[in-house]
Amino acid sequence: MEMDMQVLKTFLAASAMLAAGAGSSGQPARADGRAVVVLDNAKVRVLKTTGAALAGVAHGPGVVVPIEDGPTRKKGEAYWAAGKESSGSDPGPLVFVEPKPFTTGAPTSRMGSKPGDAPFVGMSFKTLFENETVTAIRARMDVSAREGLHTHASDTIVVHLSGGAIEDTANGTTRVNRWKPGDVELESRGSSHSARNVGEAIDVVLVALKR
């Protein structure tokens, strides 16, 4: 049976916490500074690490999402890193989204909506960059913002910058998910839900996979 999207979200956040101890900022971090894998499937691998540690981790091209302000980049200023030399310009905490090569023929057709296409109130979306592999978007949910029922046209990694509380309704079930800065969730292609912000304003980076 396919895992409910909300259960998967909770599992990812819990896995990150179990895989690592709490750092000085309260966010998951290994004592040895190495990367923590919070998601790894056939399409993408997601790491929580630091700019200082990422250079020592074997990885391919991907999206770097700083979680805190650094010397050269602000929190949430996501960018594409083609190789190790460009993947850790700031030493602070980050999330690294590494799409895996597509090797099984032509991509399947996408039915559903892209981020920002669904009916919403009190939300904003700004494309940070786009290439043949991903679209990276900065999104915000103001207090009491709502997003209508929609189906995701692509697998989308959500990197939480501010944390917050979101009421999600999917498959007839409503629950409140509470997130912290640096938490990661997966919104799977083909999954459907509606959302409402039930806390403070929420800032995230969305990484929508194109394969």
Side-chain angles (χ1 to χ4, degrees):
M1 181 178 296
E2 185 174 336
M3 184 180 293
D4 180 88
M5 181 182 69
Q6 302 304 325
V7 174
L8 178 58
K9 291 178 182 178
T10 304
F11 171 77
L12 292 176
S15 296
M17 292 300 295
L18 291 173
S24 60
S25 64
Q27 299 307 301
R30 285 193 184 278
D32 59 7
R34 296 175 60 188
V36 176
V37 178
V38 295
L39 172 63
D40 192 358
N41 61 28
K43 296 180 180 179
V44 65
R45 183 175 69 147
V46 181
L47 309 175
K48 292 185 73 171
T49 183
T50 65
L54 185 58
V57 178
H59 65 79
V63 182
V64 178
V65 183
I67 302 304
E68 296 179 359
D69 291 345
T72 62
R73 294 183 184 273
K74 298 293 186 181
K75 175 174 65 176
E77 289 185 351
Y79 62 97
W80 181 255
K84 286 188 176 182
E85 68 282 354
S86 60
S87 61
S89 59
D90 283 350
L94 58 83
V95 170
F96 184 71
V97 181
E98 179 187 4
K100 295 184 178 180
F102 189 84
T103 58
T104 57
T108 57
S109 60
R110 291 178 172 83
M111 301 296 293
S113 60
K114 298 178 181 179
D117 285 353
F120 61 81
V121 175
M123 299 179 67
S124 61
F125 299 85
K126 177 184 178 182
T127 299
L128 299 174
F129 71 86
E130 183 173 7
N131 58 29
E132 63 181 7
T133 305
V134 302
T135 301
I137 299 168
R138 182 73 177 262
R140 180 179 176 87
M141 294 185 79
D142 292 330
V143 175
S144 300
R146 294 174 179 268
E147 187 174 25
L149 180 64
H150 60 283
T151 299
H152 292 280
S154 62
D155 292 301
T156 302
I157 308 302
V158 183
V159 180
H160 287 269
L161 302 176
S162 62
I166 300 175
E167 179 188 84
D168 271 304
T169 300
N171 301 321
T173 299
T174 297
R175 69 183 70 197
V176 175
N177 294 310
R178 302 185 186 279
W179 306 102
K180 297 179 298 300
D183 279 349
V184 173
E185 58 175 310
L186 169 66
E187 295 183 328
S188 300
R189 183 172 65 184
S191 62
S192 301
H193 73 130
S194 61
R196 180 170 70 96
N197 184 2
V198 294
E200 300 298 321
I202 296 171
D203 289 295
V204 302
V205 169
L206 308 174
V207 180
L209 306 182
K210 291 187 175 182
R211 301 179 181 180

